[in-house]
Amino acid sequence: MDDDLVGIQTPQRRIADPEEALALLERAVPGLAGLRRRARAVIDWAGLEESLGTGLPSDYKYLAEWYPTFDVGAFLLVRLPEPGEEDRWLQASRDTIEVLTDAWLEPGVGLLAHPAPGGLLPWGESCDSDKFMWSTTGGSPQDWIVTVASRGGAWWHYGGGSVQFLAEYCNGTLEHWGLPPIDLEVPPR
């Protein structure tokens, strides 16, 4: 599996502020703002994180409080919990983890699924079965990096948060490494 590691991309500056990361994403994907909620959603983060067995990054939580699940360019689906439906998000995450474990990850090669220490935890996927995950390593969820598993079997890491990753993928700042250029259309829901 190490032979399939393409590399690590590091942003010029890791954005730690969730509001700044979301503003960067909204600039990168102009149609996204049309999906923004009128008021910040109340999501049961404590219950969801307790069931999951880990906290989640603040940029992702902030994104979920302002946006429902969305896709960009009919390619990249960003799964977000909905108020009152946190169990559905949790079950979908567990189902994806099961798929990762059965079909993608091999014990002994260093890439394991959550809840293994440092395990991969999915947050998005493409229509071509590319997986977008956090590598749950570091002192806190704010330190997690993004791991991309492309449908061709290659892996790569991005040294920033998921919202910054989305923004830089959409604005063309990061190299695609096996992913297609993304169409910035965001279908209405």
Side-chain angles (χ1 to χ4, degrees):
M1 184 76 68
D2 288 336
D3 293 339
D4 294 328
L5 178 65
V6 174
I8 300 171
Q9 293 189 51
T10 305
Q12 288 186 349
R13 178 179 67 89
R14 184 175 178 134
I15 298 174
D17 178 45
E19 289 181 48
E20 182 183 355
L22 183 55
L24 182 66
L25 178 59
E26 289 174 336
R27 284 192 305 276
V29 186
L32 186 62
L35 297 179
R36 190 176 177 115
R37 301 178 201 275
R38 293 180 209 235
R40 195 170 179 174
V42 177
I43 296 171
D44 180 10
W45 293 116
L48 195 149
E49 292 171 330
E50 182 179 335
S51 295
L52 193 57
T54 186
L56 292 169
S58 59
D59 65 331
Y60 179 81
K61 292 181 353 181
Y62 191 74
L63 177 66
E65 290 167 353
W66 285 107
Y67 283 94
T69 292
F70 63 90
D71 71 76
V72 181
F75 174 73
L76 197 160
L77 176 69
V78 180
R79 292 184 307 109
L80 300 164
E82 288 291 326
E85 297 181 16
E86 293 87 354
D87 287 344
R88 288 182 65 202
W89 181 92
L90 187 61
Q91 187 57 52
S93 294
R94 287 180 175 147
D95 291 346
T96 302
I97 289 169
E98 188 175 314
V99 168
L100 285 170
T101 302
D102 291 346
W104 290 63
L105 304 178
E106 300 173 32
V109 297
L111 294 171
L112 301 172
H114 175 77
L120 299 173
L121 182 60
W123 56 264
E125 61 189 298
S126 80
C127 64
D128 290 335
S129 297
D130 303 290
K131 304 294 183 213
F132 302 91
M133 302 163 285
W134 293 290
S135 291
T136 60
T137 57
S140 79
Q142 281 33 266
D143 300 324
W144 294 353
I145 62 171
V146 170
T147 296
V148 177
S150 71
R151 64 192 170 280
W155 294 79
W156 55 282
H157 303 289
Y158 171 78
S162 56
V163 177
Q164 185 176 3
F165 169 86
L166 288 168
E168 292 189 358
Y169 177 32
C170 291
N171 72 17
T173 302
L174 77 113
E175 293 183 48
H176 298 155
W177 285 354
L179 299 174
I182 196 157
D183 176 356
L184 297 180
E185 182 180 336
V186 177
R189 294 214 178 243

